[in-house]
Amino acid sequence: MGSAGEKLDLELDEEIPFSSSQGTIKIDSLHYEAPHIASPRSYRSTRVLRKMYQISLLRSIYIVIIKAKINVLLPFGPLAILLHNRTGKHTWVFFFSLLGITPLAERLGYVTEQLAFYTGPTVGGLLNATFGNATEMIISLYALNNGMMRVVKQSLLGSILSNMLLVLGCAFFSGGIIHHQKVQVFNKAAAIVNSGLLLMAVMGLLFPAVLHFTHTELHFGKSQLALSRFSSCIMLVAYASYLFFQLKIQPNLYSSVSEDEEHNSADSEEEEAPEITQWEAIGWLAVLTIWISVLSGYLVDAIEGASDSLNMPMSFISVILLPIVGNAAEHASAIMFAMKDKLDITLGVAIGSSTQISMFVIPFCVVVGWFMGKPMDLNFQLFETATLFITVLVVAFMLQEGTSNYFKGLMLILCYLIVAASFFVHVDPSNDAD
C-alpha cells in the first residue's frame, strides 16, 4: 500500500502541470480514497494564502512608503500640523507643509501609473492626467473656499508655466544630454492640437481682462463675471470634445513617429510589470488624496502669514513655489520618459497637463465658485495674461519642428528663470480687491 500510495502521488505531481482537467480528476479521486491526506494540504494552503496576503500588504507599504528616496520628506507633514497647533508660526507651517506635500504628489503619480497597468492605455492616460493635477485642484478648492481668488488664479497659472517651461525644459535638456548622438523626435500632430487648445485658453483669459481694463463693460463688474462664466462653460465643452476626439474618434493621434519606435517601446513595456495590485493602488490613491487634502488646508492658511514674515510677494509664492510642489509627479515622469527616448509620453505629461489645467481645472473652479457664491472669474490681470500668452507662443515655436535637443530644453529653463524673477518683483494690484 505504501508503494502504491507513493506511486499515486508521483503520478499526481507529474500530471498536474500538463493537464488541468486530468489533475482535477486525480485530486478528486485522491480526496475520496485518502481524505486524511487532502485535509492537511487544504489547511496548509489556507495558511499559505493568508501569509501571502500579509506579505503582499507589507510589500505594498514598503514599495509606496519606504522604497522611494523622496519619502524622507514625509515626516514634515505631521510636523507642519504640530507646529500649527502648538506655535502658529506661519512661515514654518508653510514650508513644512510644502515639503510634506512634495513626496505625496510624487507618490500619487506613481500609484496612478500602477493603476494604469490594469485599466489599459486609454483610461490610464486619462487617470495620469487627472490625478497628476489633483494636488493643484485640491489646493485651489481650499483657497477658493477661503475667498482667496487671486491665490487660485496665480497657483493655476503657475502650474501651466511650470509644466510648459520648467518641466518640459528639464525633460528636453535631460533627454538631449543622454541622447546627444542623435536628434530626438516626437509626433507633431499631438503638439499642434495641444498648442491650439492652449491658445484657445489664452483667448478665454484675455477677453475678460481686456474688457475690464479698457472700461468697456456694459455693466461694470457684472459683465466681466458673466463673460467668464459663459466662457468657462464653453471651455469645458471644448475640453470634453477634445477627450472624445482623442479617445474615440482618432485614438492613434498620439502614436509614435515610426513603426520601429513602436516596436521598441512595445518591447520595453513588456519588461515592465505592476509592482502593486489593482485594489492596493485604489486604496493608496484614496489615502494619498485624503492626506494631500489635509495638508493643503494648512498650506493655504499659512500663505498670507508666510508672505508677511518673509517679505516675499504673494504672487511669487503662488506662481512659483506652490506649482513646483504640485508638479513634482509630472516633473519626475517627464524627465524619466525623455531619458528613455519616449518624447511622445513626455509631451503628454507636460503639455497635456498644461492643457488640462487651462481648459478644465480653471473653468471648473469658475463654475464651482459660481455655485459657492464666490466671484471667481477669468480676469487674471494683464501681467499674468501676457506672461501666459508669450509662454504659449515660445513653446509652440519650440514644438513646431517635431524635434528636441538639450539646447531647446536649456532655453525653456532660462525662460522660466526670467518668469520667476519677474514675479518676484511684481506687486499684485488686486491683493486688496480680493
Side-chain angles (χ1 to χ4, degrees), residues 40-326:
R41 286 184 179 180
S42 61
Y43 175 70
R44 284 198 301 269
S45 65
T46 304
R47 290 181 59 190
V48 168
L49 287 174
R50 188 182 299 115
K51 185 170 289 188
M52 286 178 62
Y53 174 76
Q54 294 174 352
I55 293 174
S56 175
L57 185 61
L58 291 175
R59 183 174 176 273
S60 173
I61 295 174
Y62 169 76
I63 291 173
V64 178
I65 301 297
I66 302 174
K67 184 179 179 181
K69 295 179 180 178
I70 196 174
N71 286 342
V72 298
L73 300 176
L74 282 175
F76 285 102
L79 279 176
I81 299 176
L82 185 65
L83 284 174
H84 176 82
N85 294 329
R86 292 294 181 88
T87 64
K89 292 183 178 180
H90 297 290
T91 304
W92 290 108
V93 173
F94 174 76
F95 278 111
F96 280 12
S97 300
L98 211 61
L99 291 174
I101 288 178
T102 302
L104 295 175
E106 191 276 333
R107 291 287 86 187
L108 189 66
Y110 167 78
V111 172
T112 306
E113 289 176 2
Q114 293 296 304
L115 187 59
F117 279 107
Y118 303 98
T119 59
T122 301
V123 180
L126 188 59
L127 283 173
N128 271 312
T130 303
F131 282 96
N133 293 322
T135 306
E136 294 95 326
M137 206 164 184
I138 292 170
I139 293 175
S140 299
L141 291 177
Y142 267 99
L144 183 63
N145 188 45
N146 291 347
M148 303 167 69
M149 266 73 72
R150 289 297 294 163
V151 173
V152 176
K153 296 175 183 178
Q154 291 177 338
S155 63
L156 293 178
L157 172 71
S159 295
I160 300 173
L161 299 177
S162 174
N163 275 310
M164 296 182 69
L165 296 177
L166 184 61
V167 174
L168 189 63
C170 289
F172 278 4
F173 183 79
S174 302
I177 293 294
I178 297 296
H179 304 280
H180 63 276
Q181 71 277 6
K182 69 173 184 177
V183 177
Q184 291 184 292
V185 294
F186 52 84
N187 192 341
K188 289 192 292 185
I192 290 173
V193 170
N194 280 287
S195 298
L197 284 171
L198 288 169
L199 285 172
M200 180 181 177
V202 170
M203 184 176 68
L205 302 181
L206 182 63
F207 286 138
V210 172
L211 190 69
H212 175 77
F213 286 98
T214 55
H215 303 287
T216 55
E217 295 179 77
L218 182 63
H219 302 287
F220 185 76
K222 295 181 179 180
S223 299
Q224 166 193 329
L225 185 60
L227 175 63
S228 297
R229 289 169 176 173
F230 176 79
S231 299
S232 296
C233 295
I234 297 298
M235 292 164 71
L236 290 173
V237 171
Y239 186 72
S241 303
Y242 161 71
L243 289 180
F244 182 77
F245 171 79
Q246 176 188 354
L247 302 179
K248 296 294 183 181
I249 305 300
Q250 290 192 7
N252 296 323
L253 179 67
Y254 293 92
S255 60
S256 299
V257 293
S258 67
E259 293 182 359
D260 294 336
E261 288 183 359
E262 287 180 0
H263 292 308
N264 292 335
S265 62
D267 293 338
S268 62
E269 286 175 0
E270 286 178 359
E271 299 175 0
E272 299 176 358
E275 296 182 338
I276 58 177
T277 65
Q278 181 178 4
W279 288 108
E280 287 172 350
I282 294 173
W284 282 116
L285 209 61
V287 170
L288 292 172
T289 303
I290 293 172
W291 187 227
I292 289 175
S293 302
V294 172
L295 285 184
S296 297
Y298 290 96
L299 180 68
V300 170
D301 291 338
I303 286 179
E304 291 183 350
S307 176
D308 296 334
S309 301
L310 298 172
N311 197 21
M312 186 179 293
M314 279 276 292
S315 57
F316 181 80
I317 293 177
S318 302
V319 177
I320 305 300
L321 295 184
L322 290 182
I324 289 178
V325 173

Side-chain angles (χ1 to χ4, degrees), residues 362-380:
I362 292 177
F364 179 76
C365 287
V366 172
V367 174
V368 169
W370 188 2
F371 286 105
M372 293 171 60
K374 306 288 185 180
M376 175 70 183
D377 56 32
L378 295 178
N379 179 13
F380 276 53

